[in-house]
Amino acid sequence: MLFMEDKERLDEKVFSNGDIYIGNFKGILPHGKGKYTWLGGTYYEGDWEDGKMHGKGQLVWPSGARYDGDISGGYLHGFGTFTGVDGSVYIGAWRMGVLHGIGRKEYHNSDIYEGTWKEGLHEGGGSYTWNNGNIYTGIWKRGKMSGRGVMKWVNGDIYDGFWLNGLKHGTGLYRFADGSYYFGTWSKGLKDGKGTFYPAGSKHTPMKKWSNLGEENSRKNLLSHSSSLTSEESRSLKSSIHRSLSEKISIGGLLRSSGRISHRPVSLDENWCAVDSGKELASDNESCTVSDVPHEDQHGTVEDCTGIYEREYMQGVLIKEKFRKNAKPIAKTKEKNKFTGKEAEPRSCMDSPIRGRSYYLMLNLQLGIRYTVGKITPVPMREVRTSDFGERARIRMHFPRKGSQYTPPHYSIDFYWKDYCPMVFRNLREMFKLDAAEYMMSICGNDGLREISSPGKSGSIFYLSHDDRFVIKTLKKSELKVFLRMLPNYYLHVGKYENTLITKFFGVHRIELKGGRKVRFVVMGNMFCTELRIHRRYDLKGSTVGRNTYKEKISQNTTLKDLDLSYEFHMDKLLREALFNQLSLDCMFLESQGIIDYSLLLGLHFRAPEHLKALLDTANVIHDQESPSADGVNSPGQLAISPKGLLLVTHEPSSVNTAPGPHIRGSTLRAFSLGEREVDLLLPGTARLRVQLGVNMPAQANHKLQQKKEDDHSAEAELFEVYDVVLYMGVIDILQEYNLKKKAEHAYKSLHYDPLEISVVEPKFYAKRFINFLEKVFPVNRN
């Protein structure tokens, strides 16, 4: 009898709600080939596995919308073609029911986008062609032109430069159809600042000034992000696309875990914006109306072609103009001064007024990392040895500007490159499951790095990779020595404790410039490269000395301090226990290395972020374009979903993204509230996320309020507001070595100091106070 139940069979079943399934069964579950028709007329015909749509199939809605392609676990997932009610057609990659990966969409008005998508929005490299013939090829972010790109109008005008939120913003080169050029800066679509106009027929052009961002190279580089799609090409490329946000609205739920068909189908045609092309990507379509971007005005006819015009604009209005006859190419003169020093007094690029020191450091850093990773990756994998940590474990290379037998020519200045312990960091990247090609593309790709403001008082320069995965920080010589000394034990610690909260390091390098100036770097995982928007950031040390932020300086991205924290976080018993067990292990390790002054970097995602606005003193802290949507996901323009709290559900590897990120490594956590089983975090209507230590950890945040009693103006009653939050955290700043004399002098000389600061000068006392403070922030759940 049991054998007969397990054997596949073809049958027809009519459900009590009027739904009909015709096909193969395995036991009581649809399995194999079959067709399911809902009472409303929607039907799916294709592969089934254990009661779920899984494999290849076709979904057809009564409105005429249809999908043909891959389906996994009840989601549109893989490669497929969707035809909308209005005639729009998308061919490309899907992830958990959302356009995600490489794809091509032809809209109902004949506009065409071909490139990469992320959670239903244009993201990354792509080309958009409007029905009037205008073409943009470049970088997109959250559905809008943001980054480097080339816009070509049908009248022959071309703009090659930088964009922000669909508008020209930053440095750019505008070529008019008559052959004249304007090289300058734009702000929110308007010329703003100084620039140079080159009349048609001018002997000099701005192309050399723009050579590192030339139009042809730009188009080739940007087009490399998106290519013409064939089915096979998409299948090979889609696996390399950076995965981000978890699933949206599930087609799953058609079948319950019990094996019974759900009472009603989830009609994507009615409930899901990614299928209703009339609603789909409303914000995206609005951002694409750059066919109306005004062509640049040349401000009068210019007859003299033997010179150039130096102009200055203020918000699109020409306020100054100076004609320079027989002008020499400015770019060439500057290049001599910067690179050869033949016509100017030799000076380090660090002092260059034309381009900041960070620009050259960025170029040098990319060249060096590309060389280092490319050299070490082909070396056969082996266990690290003691010699891999020694003084001789270095790669040193000279990078002349003209290039050499081993290095390519480049646009920076001559420099020497040193890579520390290459085999150790190669093994660390393997240990953290970081692909070498993805690592190089993130840091050394065409999109480059961007400098970010320093969150501390160290004076360090910080860079962020274009995909937000990696942070690069300059180090002091003393910090480098501390790190290299502790590296062998760090390697053992992160190898032993996969859930460690200590910063993940991927490389340490040094650049030596002409004149002997040395700059040291460390590459780390970005702790806030997450699938949900981080609404609040805190750097917690457990101290009161200078640990507050002036209110007028607080913005959405400000990293706040200990005294700014007005929350207590209550977590599941086992989640909290795992957190403090690992914190204790990490602090013991830092104590053994003589390290003090480290912090817990804490990020908060509020499930209902509109509550934040009531907590802010100024109305302009959260800007309209950057404010999180109602569900808090980094995807503006989506349908508003009212907050429904956070749910812990049993972990299903097939339902969540288990690929490690630059800061993610370790096992899935277990929750006491679900019988000590591994759990996922479910945000109803938004996402399903894998819960790991320091990543996607759910909690309730009690916000302390003070309110005076009506009958006693001097007394105060303590009130709380409770919010659902998702926590992200890690231990940072681990390179400050213990120095008793220096620490004591600093404490005594300070006019305002915490008495504890004098006694807490040894690693063991620092660790103890650090843990005690965090135990107050994360108290034991009273329930």
Side-chain angles (χ1 to χ4, degrees):
M1 190 67 177
L2 180 61
F3 174 80
M4 292 297 295
E5 289 181 354
D6 291 337
K7 186 178 180 180
E8 291 188 357
R9 66 181 188 277
L10 184 63
D11 206 347
E12 175 179 340
K13 185 172 183 179
V14 179
F15 296 89
S16 59
N17 61 357
D19 295 351
I20 301 174
Y21 174 78
I22 302 174
N24 296 314
F25 283 83
K26 183 179 180 181
I28 62 173
L29 299 177
H31 187 88
K33 299 287 185 180
K35 179 177 180 180
Y36 191 99
T37 304
W38 287 268
L39 183 62
T42 302
Y43 72 85
Y44 166 78
E45 185 172 6
D47 297 329
W48 294 78
E49 184 176 300
D50 295 328
K52 291 184 178 180
M53 298 182 294
H54 190 91
K56 293 185 178 296
Q58 179 184 94
L59 267 168
V60 179
W61 290 267
S63 62
R66 63 185 298 153
Y67 171 82
D68 294 272
D70 299 332
I71 292 181
S72 177
Y75 295 90
L76 310 187
H77 188 93
F79 185 84
T81 300
F82 179 82
T83 304
V85 179
D86 58 2
S88 61
V89 178
Y90 171 80
I91 304 174
W94 296 75
R95 180 176 182 270
M96 308 302 286
V98 180
L99 286 64
H100 190 97
I102 296 178
R104 180 183 189 274
K105 179 168 183 178
E106 183 171 352
Y107 294 86
H108 67 281
N109 62 353
S110 298
D111 288 358
I112 297 174
Y113 173 79
E114 185 174 358
T116 57
W117 301 72
K118 182 178 179 181
E119 299 304 320
L121 296 174
H122 306 163
E123 181 90 12
S127 178
Y128 196 102
T129 304
W130 284 263
N131 56 17
N132 61 5
N134 295 339
I135 301 175
Y136 170 82
T137 303
I139 303 301
W140 299 75
K141 193 170 183 66
R142 294 192 292 270
K144 296 184 179 182
M145 300 179 294
S146 291
R148 179 70 192 289
V150 178
M151 182 77 184
K152 184 175 182 179
W153 287 268
V154 290
N155 72 339
D157 288 1
I158 296 176
Y159 171 78
D160 178 4
F162 291 91
W163 301 74
L164 180 66
N165 293 325
L167 299 172
K168 295 187 287 292
H169 189 89
T171 306
L173 176 64
Y174 197 103
R175 190 183 77 183
F176 297 90
D178 64 359
S180 57
Y181 292 87
Y182 178 77
F183 178 76
T185 58
W186 280 257
S187 178
K188 298 182 180 179
L190 300 174
K191 291 176 182 173
D192 196 59
K194 294 181 179 180
T196 307
F197 177 75
Y198 299 78
S202 175
K203 295 180 180 179
H204 309 300
T205 68
M207 298 309 294
K208 287 187 178 180
K209 294 174 71 174
W210 199 234
S211 59
N212 61 319
L213 295 172
E215 176 188 325
E216 294 302 322
N217 289 335
S218 174
R219 291 179 66 85
K220 290 177 183 178
N221 291 339
L222 296 169
L223 282 170
S224 68
H225 289 275
S226 61
S227 57
S228 297
L229 284 178
T230 65
S231 175
E232 293 302 318
E233 287 173 337
S234 291
R235 291 176 186 276
S236 63
L237 288 172
K238 64 180 180 176
S239 61
S240 65
I241 300 297
H242 174 62
R243 298 303 177 97
S244 175
L245 193 62
S246 287
E247 61 269 24
K248 297 285 186 185
I249 307 298
S250 167
I251 310 175
L254 298 176
L255 302 178
R256 297 180 177 177
S257 58
S258 64
R260 296 187 60 188
I261 304 295
S262 66
H263 295 297
R264 61 183 299 272
V266 178
S267 174
L268 298 185
D269 188 40
E270 298 174 358
N271 299 328
W272 190 39
C273 63
V275 173
D276 185 349
S277 297
K279 298 178 182 178
E280 180 190 8
L281 308 182
S283 64
D284 191 7
N285 287 331
E286 292 171 4
S287 71
C288 294
T289 58
V290 288
S291 56
D292 297 328
V293 171
H295 302 143
E296 299 297 327
D297 186 0
Q298 299 182 36
H299 292 282
T301 302
V302 180
E303 297 179 356
D304 192 339
C305 297
T306 61
I308 63 175
Y309 290 78
E310 295 178 348
R311 293 175 173 175
E312 184 173 353
Y313 290 84
M314 180 177 290
Q315 296 182 354
V317 178
L318 180 63
I319 59 175
K320 289 183 182 179
E321 184 178 77
K322 180 181 179 181
F323 177 70
R324 296 206 312 133
K325 194 172 184 178
N326 298 321
K328 294 182 180 180
I330 298 175
K332 186 175 181 181
T333 304
K334 289 180 180 177
E335 292 229 330
K336 279 190 176 182
N337 290 341
K338 288 185 292 186
F339 296 122
T340 66
K342 292 181 180 179
E343 296 185 16
E345 181 181 350
R347 61 194 294 176
S348 168
C349 73
M350 309 298 286
D351 303 319
S352 170
I354 305 299
R355 292 191 178 184
R357 63 173 184 167
S358 64
Y359 172 80
Y360 297 102
L361 292 177
M362 179 190 73
L363 294 181
N364 298 348
L365 186 65
Q366 290 179 303
L367 287 165
I369 290 179
R370 186 183 291 117
Y371 173 84
T372 297
V373 177
K375 185 177 180 66
I376 197 67
T377 299
V379 176
M381 188 71 180
R382 62 169 175 79
E383 290 294 326
V384 296
R385 306 163 184 160
T386 304
S387 58
D388 293 324
F389 297 95
E391 288 293 329
R392 295 186 178 182
R394 310 283 191 268
I395 294 178
R396 183 179 172 86
M397 181 57 61
H398 181 221
F399 281 80
R401 182 170 176 252
K402 294 182 179 180
S404 68
Q405 180 181 356
Y406 304 102
T407 63
H410 55 85
Y411 288 100
S412 186
I413 60 174
D414 294 4
F415 69 97
Y416 285 92
W417 171 262
K418 180 182 281 189
D419 182 62
Y420 294 89
C421 307
M423 183 57 73
V424 175
F425 285 106
R426 182 258 176 88
N427 279 28
L428 281 173
R429 292 192 291 268
E430 292 279 350
M431 188 186 300
F432 297 144
K433 296 180 174 59
L434 184 61
D435 181 74
E438 290 185 9
Y439 181 65
M440 279 199 295
M441 284 302 298
S442 292
I443 298 176
C444 309
N446 296 322
D447 296 328
L449 305 170
R450 62 183 187 274
E451 186 178 354
I452 56 177
S453 59
S454 172
K457 301 178 182 179
S458 64
S460 299
I461 297 175
F462 286 81
Y463 297 104
L464 192 63
S465 63
H466 72 91
D467 55 7
D468 296 340
R469 300 183 70 193
F470 303 99
V471 175
I472 303 173
K473 174 190 175 184
T474 57
L475 293 177
K476 298 176 183 177
K477 185 177 181 180
S478 60
E479 292 175 326
L480 176 64
K481 288 183 176 180
V482 170
F483 184 75
L484 293 178
R485 175 179 55 78
M486 67 179 284
L487 184 58
N489 291 322
Y490 171 84
Y491 184 86
L492 294 175
H493 182 78
V494 298
K496 183 177 182 180
Y497 301 106
E498 64 175 4
N499 289 320
T500 181
L501 292 167
I502 291 178
T503 306
K504 293 174 176 55
F505 296 102
F506 304 105
V508 176
H509 318 287
R510 191 188 76 183
I511 292 172
E512 183 176 346
L513 304 170
K514 187 176 182 179
R517 176 71 181 273
K518 299 174 182 177
V519 186
R520 303 157 187 88
F521 296 90
V522 62
V523 184
M524 307 174 287
N526 178 16
M527 206 166 297
F528 292 150
C529 178
T530 65
E531 297 174 306
L532 301 177
R533 186 185 298 276
I534 302 297
H535 298 120
R536 280 289 179 273
R537 297 167 173 81
Y538 293 90
D539 182 293
L540 305 177
K541 292 182 180 292
S543 173
T544 60
V545 178
R547 304 301 297 168
N548 65 307
T549 309
Y550 293 110
K551 290 184 178 180
E552 58 270 17
K553 294 185 177 180
I554 296 177
S555 67
Q556 184 181 7
N557 295 320
T558 301
T559 301
L560 305 175
K561 301 177 182 178
D562 302 63
L563 296 179
D564 303 316
L565 185 66
S566 57
Y567 300 99
E568 286 184 353
F569 302 100
H570 295 274
M571 308 171 65
D572 179 275
K573 176 182 177 181
L574 282 185
L575 297 186
R576 183 187 183 278
E577 183 178 307
L579 173 64
F580 278 91
N581 283 344
Q582 190 60 52
L583 278 173
S584 297
L585 291 169
D586 290 340
C587 287
M588 288 173 59
F589 165 72
L590 297 175
E591 177 185 326
S592 69
Q593 302 303 301
I595 302 297
I596 62 169
D597 217 26
Y598 45 86
S599 309
L600 181 77
L601 187 62
L602 175 66
L604 309 183
H605 165 80
F606 284 78
R607 174 56 180 157
E610 63 270 15
H611 292 318
L612 286 176
K613 297 179 181 178
L615 303 177
L616 297 174
D617 294 327
T618 56
N620 63 347
V621 171
I622 299 181
H623 301 286
D624 291 339
Q625 290 185 342
E626 296 297 330
S627 62
S629 58
D631 57 9
V633 183
N634 284 321
S635 300
Q638 298 177 11
L639 297 178
I641 303 174
S642 59
K644 299 179 181 178
L646 308 174
L647 298 176
L648 285 174
V649 295
T650 304
H651 175 56
E652 293 184 11
S654 60
S655 299
V656 294
N657 181 14
T658 57
H663 65 304
I664 299 174
R665 175 176 170 265
S667 57
T668 302
L669 296 186
R670 300 175 182 273
F672 179 79
S673 57
L674 283 185
E676 302 188 8
R677 290 179 292 179
E678 292 185 342
V679 292
D680 295 335
L681 173 62
L682 182 65
L683 287 75
T686 304
R688 180 170 180 151
L689 306 170
R690 181 186 178 198
V691 179
Q692 294 174 271
L693 202 63
V695 181
N696 303 327
M697 299 188 71
Q700 281 193 337
N702 288 355
H703 180 226
K704 303 174 185 178
L705 300 176
Q706 298 294 331
Q707 180 176 328
K708 292 184 178 180
K709 294 181 179 179
E710 295 181 357
D711 56 344
D712 185 359
H713 294 285
S714 62
E716 292 184 347
E718 193 173 55
L719 300 177
F720 292 91
E721 289 180 344
V722 180
Y723 306 102
D724 287 328
V725 295
V726 185
L727 305 179
Y728 298 86
M729 64 190 80
V731 178
I732 62 169
D733 294 336
I734 66 168
L735 303 181
Q736 296 296 324
E737 194 172 22
Y738 163 57
N739 186 320
L740 175 60
K741 182 178 179 181
K742 183 177 179 180
K743 189 72 177 178
E745 287 178 353
H746 171 73
Y748 278 116
K749 290 181 181 179
S750 176
L751 296 177
H752 304 284
Y753 66 88
D754 183 345
L756 289 176
E757 289 292 333
I758 299 175
S759 60
V760 184
V761 291
E762 295 185 19
K764 62 180 180 180
F765 291 120
Y766 188 92
K768 183 177 180 180
R769 190 187 65 178
F770 183 67
I771 293 291
N772 289 342
F773 170 76
L774 293 180
E775 286 178 338
K776 296 177 182 177
V777 176
F778 299 92
V780 176
N781 195 335
R782 292 184 294 271
N783 296 326

